[in-house]
Amino acid sequence: MEFKYFRKPSNFAFRTDTPKGCSICGMQGIWFDGSGFSGTKDIECVCEQCLTSGKLKELEIETNIVREYGNEDADEIVFATPSLPTWQDCVWPCIDERFLVFERIASKQDFANKDEFKSAHLPEVDAITDFDFLWDTLPDQQLKNYQEGGDISVYLFSNGDKKYWLWDAN
Ligand SMILES: [Zn+2]
């Protein structure tokens, strides 16, 4: 299972706890949870095949939010990429008109030190953010999946070898 903009969907995408029938094709499996999707129609879950083949675009169901709609990459994020595992709705970040790749929920191991962490925040991170506090709340060890995340999460993205992050809280 590979997505251009979402590195580890098996670990960091919201998925159903138990096998279910895909709301579009009916195939049974552990599929992407549809409760956070937006659109005129609610679906419970969507399988990998239906997601990657663009079935949600036909149904006008959106998995993610972008700032500018209407090009091929935006369509890929909005209709054919698992939702970001954030607490609040979050616009998929973009730098120099390129969408970033969501890597995982971050830990201290993702950064050489606190200074590197502080300098890697995205422009949309609020200036009043308490960076020292956030650094202290970062898990020491890399998380295996989103279930291991706490009530405050830092989301790690990449653009080539450059790292960026956003955060939010429950
Ligand atoms: Zn399906």
Side-chain angles (χ1 to χ4, degrees):
M1 176 173 26
E2 284 200 10
F3 292 91
K4 185 175 175 187
Y5 293 107
F6 199 118
R7 197 74 79 192
K8 292 186 171 171
S10 305
N11 307 69
F12 291 101
F14 291 141
R15 299 198 304 156
T16 58
D17 297 331
T18 54
K20 305 253 173 169
C22 167
S23 302
I24 296 166
C25 71
M27 190 167 41
Q28 288 285 323
I30 303 277
W31 305 133
F32 298 109
D33 188 289
S35 54
F37 299 172
S38 62
T40 49
K41 189 169 177 268
D42 289 331
I43 61 170
E44 185 178 18
C45 58
V46 62
C47 74
E48 294 154 37
Q49 179 64 31
C50 287
L51 182 61
T52 55
S53 65
K55 288 283 194 299
L56 296 186
K57 187 171 184 184
E58 294 164 28
L59 296 167
E60 298 181 358
I61 293 171
E62 303 183 355
T63 59
N64 289 294
I65 306 167
V66 294
R67 196 158 289 124
E68 289 191 41
Y69 288 78
N71 61 58
E72 200 178 306
D73 285 310
D75 275 3
E76 170 117 17
I77 301 257
V78 171
F79 299 111
T81 298
S83 301
L84 286 176
T86 51
W87 299 107
Q88 327 296 335
D89 285 345
C90 163
V91 174
W92 200 287
C94 214
I95 290 281
D96 298 333
E97 300 184 8
R98 281 179 63 179
F99 288 109
L100 305 188
V101 175
F102 173 62
E103 295 284 342
R104 56 187 166 269
I105 297 177
S107 68
K108 287 193 177 73
Q109 292 195 343
D110 290 312
F111 305 95
N113 50 47
K114 185 153 81 171
D115 287 339
E116 190 198 39
F117 168 71
K118 286 182 180 178
S119 64
H121 73 84
L122 276 155
E124 41 273 71
V125 170
D126 203 310
I128 60 164
T129 295
D130 185 339
F131 292 106
D132 292 311
F133 170 76
L134 264 191
W135 173 257
D136 289 341
T137 62
L138 270 184
D140 292 328
Q141 303 295 325
Q142 212 161 80
L143 303 183
K144 288 188 194 70
N145 50 50
Y146 76 84
Q147 288 94 335
E148 292 185 353
D151 282 344
I152 295 177
S153 296
V154 170
Y155 307 96
L156 184 71
F157 293 86
S158 66
N159 183 13
D161 7 330
K162 213 163 166 354
K163 297 171 197 169
Y164 293 93
W165 58 263
L166 280 178
W167 73 284
D168 80 345
N170 189 3

